[in-house]
Amino acid sequence: MPCVVQYGADSSVQLEFSDGVLLAECGSPDEKPLDDPATAVQQALDNPLDYPALAQSTTPGDRVVLALGHAVPRAAEIVAAVVGCLVDARVDPDGITVLQTRPDACHCLEQAVRVPDQLKDRITLITHDPSRREELAYLAANEAGEPILLNRAIHEADLVLPIGCLRSRTAAGYHGIHGTLYPTFSDTSTLSRFRSPAALHAHGRQKKRLIKEVDEVGWLLGVTLTVQVVPGPGESVLDVLAGDARAVERRGRQLYEAAWGQSVSRRAELVVTTVRGGPTQQTWQNLGRAIDAAMNLVQPDGAIALCCDLAAEPGPAIQRLAGEDSPPAALKHIDNERPADTLPAAQL
């Protein structure tokens, strides 16, 4: 009995099972991905949830920061469409800044086809560096008395518009809708604190505490308008939502669970899981997410097979895990150091 499994950008593997083997397929949404996410962005911003349209909530002189979160599918097209909507709402391009987390995260200015060529150079692109204290500004202190630091561009903006990707509330490293801003654009110390392996316990005290802190930062910033993507398989987009953060979170949670909340009647002896999409999706973080999803489906004494096109070098935490004879000892060192790949290493 053959079964074809898709992974990577266009790779596949055919599996052969004996007759009578019970198969169940999970993680493939029934909804067809959007062919044109840019149009979906425009429609979402023209009719935002519980929020006035951009033309009514902005002025030409506003300093607007588009804060692009981690791993947003079709990010260049999404951001380009938001830029186009702002220009259509008569926001001066000189006042628009795109804030991203790494140099190659988004080439939105090159692909902003709705923005006239002569205006593209007027839009600012900033890459966040959590180690540069001079680029951070103090917002407040958290409950533990630790400073809450955020990229200075966020503090100086008249309007901060986060652009994020919705995830399951129990997903590793996901801290709710305001996580697009914090700790994403915070300092090195805060990012390290949010990488605690203890936060992998989806309903544990540590995870709840971090989510509460993120929500408080969103409230302190007064950020109410947001754009959030419901991700599809690989690099596809199922839907785009815009509007009041609370309304977007409620609706987004419904759409996400409808697409990705499949369940099976019993756990399996073998779970074959994949990482779909091109190079931007072939990351250790997504490998960790795939393993985490598979762990919810496999029997305690079962096996997990993972198919992917991951080519990125392992980070310090993964290397530490591979080099130690004792996983608990490796995890202890990883927890002390907390490099960027701490959570996928802990999941492994």
Side-chain angles (χ1 to χ4, degrees):
M1 181 169 53
C3 175
V4 177
V5 176
Q6 305 288 337
Y7 67 95
D10 53 9
S11 301
S12 65
V13 59
Q14 180 169 305
L15 306 176
E16 294 287 345
F17 296 100
S18 302
D19 291 340
V21 170
L22 181 63
L23 296 179
E25 183 178 354
C26 302
S28 297
D30 295 330
E31 184 180 351
K32 183 178 181 295
L34 298 175
D35 293 325
D36 186 8
T39 298
V41 170
Q42 182 175 1
Q43 292 172 346
L45 285 171
D46 284 346
N47 301 281
L49 300 174
D50 295 347
Y51 206 89
L54 275 180
Q56 297 175 303
S57 56
T58 58
T59 67
D62 280 344
R63 293 170 296 177
V64 180
V65 169
L66 308 183
L68 179 64
H70 291 300
V72 176
R74 309 282 287 268
E77 297 167 68
I78 299 291
V79 176
V82 175
V83 169
C85 289
L86 287 168
V87 172
D88 286 347
R90 298 187 177 278
V91 174
D92 190 336
D94 288 328
I96 300 175
T97 296
V98 178
L99 179 63
Q100 60 183 13
T101 56
R102 58 189 186 276
D104 297 324
C106 176
H107 303 292
C108 57
L109 302 187
E110 298 174 9
Q111 301 185 33
V113 294
R114 298 186 69 240
V115 181
D117 290 339
Q118 65 270 27
L119 299 182
K120 289 182 181 179
D121 291 339
R122 296 167 57 185
I123 300 171
T124 304
L125 185 63
I126 297 177
T127 299
H128 177 66
D129 185 346
S131 66
R132 293 179 64 87
R133 180 61 180 85
E134 65 273 17
E135 296 180 5
L136 302 167
Y138 175 82
L139 176 66
N142 62 18
E143 287 186 350
E146 300 163 318
I148 297 173
L149 302 174
L150 286 163
N151 190 284
R152 192 172 298 277
I154 293 174
H155 282 262
E156 296 175 351
D158 298 307
L159 173 65
V160 177
L161 181 50
I163 302 174
C165 181
L166 293 161
R167 304 282 181 192
S168 166
R169 288 189 292 177
T170 61
Y174 185 73
H175 303 100
I177 200 164
H178 293 300
T180 303
L181 291 173
Y182 181 84
T184 304
F185 295 105
S186 188
D187 62 306
T188 302
S189 176
T190 299
L191 288 169
S192 175
R193 182 162 55 82
F194 271 75
R195 294 183 192 124
S196 169
L200 288 176
H201 300 289
H203 304 290
R205 182 182 303 174
Q206 178 78 344
K207 178 89 170 183
K208 292 179 180 178
R209 186 182 65 79
L210 293 177
I211 290 175
K212 179 182 178 183
E213 182 177 342
V214 170
D215 287 342
E216 288 176 349
V217 170
W219 178 80
L220 287 168
L221 285 171
V223 173
T224 53
L225 179 62
T226 187
V227 173
Q228 298 288 318
V229 171
V230 181
E235 297 169 275
S236 65
V237 173
L238 296 181
D239 210 335
V240 180
L241 302 174
D244 177 78
R246 290 169 295 183
V248 169
E249 186 169 32
R250 286 193 300 269
R251 180 59 179 151
R253 189 180 305 153
Q254 295 171 350
L255 293 174
Y256 187 94
E257 290 302 324
W260 295 103
Q262 302 100 326
S263 61
V264 293
S265 58
R266 68 185 191 189
R267 290 175 177 257
E269 295 178 4
L270 169 66
V271 174
V272 180
T273 184
T274 67
V275 178
R276 298 281 300 273
T280 60
Q281 298 298 317
Q282 300 300 313
T283 65
W284 288 97
Q285 284 72 25
N286 280 345
L287 182 141
R289 291 190 182 104
I291 290 175
D292 188 56
M295 287 293 291
N296 294 320
L297 301 172
V298 71
Q299 293 179 0
D301 58 347
I304 295 172
L306 193 147
C307 302
C308 65
D309 281 336
L310 179 62
E313 291 292 328
I318 302 291
Q319 293 182 36
R320 168 75 75 172
L321 188 66
E324 290 271 4
D325 293 331
S326 167
L331 189 59
K332 183 177 180 180
H333 287 294
I334 291 169
D335 194 15
N336 289 334
E337 299 163 0
R338 295 190 187 175
D341 62 333
T342 292
L343 294 183
Q347 288 170 311
L348 277 170

